[in-house]
């Protein structure tokens, strides 16, 4: 599959995540963010384990647990906490700083030096998202800001470590996704029970909502996400993240009757342009001086250099 198709498929993950807010508000019981996170992760993880019939071996027991905590088990609760404590859109703005956090982690763990273009594109993405989601009302507190930063750092570290560690031989992205979702769900289960109590009663509408979140929004979306991380650079993948708040804004406008101001439309354009720019890789110029072959001598072929990526 070519690179453009891989980017397009990976982009479906944040697009799907952008529907979470609408599904949660329209289909699910109110004030149950941890239970919702648990219902997204654990059933999807167990289903993928049953489908792949593969369990971690050796060091991958603790590696998959670490990735499951960073990408799911820690990320979900911190994200929900920040969304509840911060005014409209502030958590999404902090989350849009993910490309900058990934650039920092990639420099430390993947030896990928962040370029000026990457940093400027990351700032533009955060600016665009802020124009779309920020509201003038409300106030934010220290705990909410810390939770938002922590959730973004957790996901960013998970992306980079997923890239660094890759996958065990013979294990596909579907199995790796199942491991992480299962670990993340197991980590959230006692927290959800302690904070929110027993599970709420569910009607048919809620069951349909949770089924959508578990299958399309989580199992399939995270499979596409981790599959993309295995092929694209960590920075490329994380620059697809702003598509999530942009999708949420579009769904709110189309399906929920929420108005979009001209400033929000401008912000959407800026964030989308930054997302596209984040997918452009620059091929480094070769510093080798071509040699002149003697007449009649065979000139060895010089292989084309692909985009610089650090192997996991």
């Amino acid at each position: 599959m070519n690179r453009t198709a891989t980017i397009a498929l990976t982009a479906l993950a944040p697009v799907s995540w952008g529907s979470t807010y609408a599904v949660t508000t329209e289909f699910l019981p109110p004030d149950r963010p941890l239970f919702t996170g648990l219902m997204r992760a654990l059933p999807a993880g167990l289903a993928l384990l049953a489908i792949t019939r593969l369990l971690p071996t050796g060091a991958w027991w603790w590696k998959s647990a670490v990735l499951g905590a960073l990408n799911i088990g820690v990320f979900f609760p911190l994200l929900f906490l920040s969304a509840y404590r911060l005014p409209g859109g502030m958590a999404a703005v902090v989350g849009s700083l993910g490309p900058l956090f990934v650039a920092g982690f990639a420099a430390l763990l993947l030896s990928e030096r962040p370029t000026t273009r990457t940093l400027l594109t990351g700032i533009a993405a955060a600016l665009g998202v802020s124009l779309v989601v920020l509201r003038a009302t409300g106030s934010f507190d220290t705990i909410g800001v810390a939770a938002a930063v922590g959730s973004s750092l957790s996901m960013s570290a998970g992306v980079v470590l997923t890239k660094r560690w890759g996958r065990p031989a013979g294990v596909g992205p579907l199995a790796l996704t199942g491991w992480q979702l299962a670990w993340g769900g197991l980590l959230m289960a006692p927290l959800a029970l302690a904070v929110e109590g027993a599970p709420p009663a569910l009607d048919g509408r809620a069951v349909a909502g949770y089924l959508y979140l578990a299958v399309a929004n989580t199992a399939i979306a995270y499979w596409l996400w981790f599959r993309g991380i295995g092929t694209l650079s960590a920075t490329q993948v994380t620059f697809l993240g702003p598509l999530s708040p942009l999708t949420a804004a579009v769904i709110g406008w189309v399906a929920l009757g929420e108005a979009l101001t001209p400033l929000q439309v401008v912000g959407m354009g800026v964030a989308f342009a930054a997302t596209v720019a984040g997918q452009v890789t620059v091929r480094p110029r070769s510093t080798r001086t071509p040699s002149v072959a003697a007449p009649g001598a065979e000139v060895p072929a010089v292989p084309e250099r692909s985009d610089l990526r650090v192997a996991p």
Side-chain angles (χ1 to χ4, degrees):
M1 183 175 295
N2 62 41
R3 178 174 165 273
T4 301
T6 300
I7 292 173
L9 286 174
T10 308
L12 292 177
V15 168
S16 173
W17 298 333
S19 67
T20 304
Y21 174 78
V23 172
T24 300
T25 56
E26 299 298 316
F27 289 84
L28 305 184
D31 303 324
R32 289 302 186 107
L34 293 176
F35 180 74
T36 297
L38 173 62
M39 291 297 290
R40 285 182 64 186
L42 190 56
L46 295 178
L48 293 182
L49 289 180
I51 292 172
T52 59
R53 298 183 179 182
L54 287 175
L55 291 176
T57 57
W60 273 98
W61 278 106
W62 68 265
K63 286 183 177 181
S64 61
V66 170
L67 294 178
L70 292 173
N71 288 317
I72 309 294
V74 174
F75 171 68
F76 277 6
L78 289 179
L79 178 66
F80 288 133
L81 177 61
S82 65
Y84 268 77
R85 298 187 69 104
L86 296 179
M90 178 64 74
V93 172
V94 177
S96 68
L97 296 175
L100 299 178
F101 293 149
V102 165
F105 283 125
L108 292 174
L109 300 176
L110 302 179
S111 300
E112 294 180 0
R113 291 185 58 186
T115 65
T116 302
R117 185 176 69 88
T118 296
L119 298 178
L120 291 178
T121 305
I123 293 172
L127 175 62
V129 170
S130 67
L131 293 177
V132 174
V133 302
L134 279 185
R135 302 292 184 269
T137 58
S139 59
F140 60 90
D141 58 26
T142 304
I143 294 177
V145 173
V149 173
S151 67
S152 188
L153 286 172
S154 179
M155 186 65 160
S156 299
V159 167
V160 174
L161 280 179
T162 301
K163 183 67 179 179
R164 177 181 174 88
W165 288 339
R167 300 190 303 270
V171 174
L174 199 64
L176 181 65
T177 303
W179 298 349
Q180 295 188 55
L181 290 174
W183 276 119
L186 291 174
L187 289 173
M188 281 189 289
L191 181 62
L193 183 62
V195 175
E196 297 178 352
L202 304 179
D203 56 15
R205 190 176 180 85
V207 171
Y210 283 126
L211 187 62
Y212 166 78
L213 290 181
V215 177
N217 188 271
T218 303
I220 296 176
Y222 272 97
W223 167 61
L224 291 173
W225 185 251
F226 294 133
R227 178 181 175 279
I229 293 174
T231 304
L232 306 171
S233 71
T235 304
Q236 280 180 289
V237 172
T238 196
F239 265 116
L240 297 172
L243 292 176
S244 179
L246 296 186
T247 302
V250 171
I251 292 175
W253 172 55
V254 173
L256 305 180
E258 299 175 357
L260 287 176
T261 66
L263 192 60
Q264 286 179 297
V265 174
V266 171
M268 293 176 71
V270 171
F272 186 75
T275 297
V276 173
Q279 306 312 308
V280 178
T281 56
V282 179
R283 295 175 184 269
R285 295 180 179 179
S286 176
T287 57
R288 296 176 60 184
T289 302
S291 58
V292 179
E298 181 180 356
V299 180
V302 179
E304 296 182 357
R305 296 187 64 184
S306 61
D307 297 339
L308 284 181
R309 298 193 188 102
V310 178

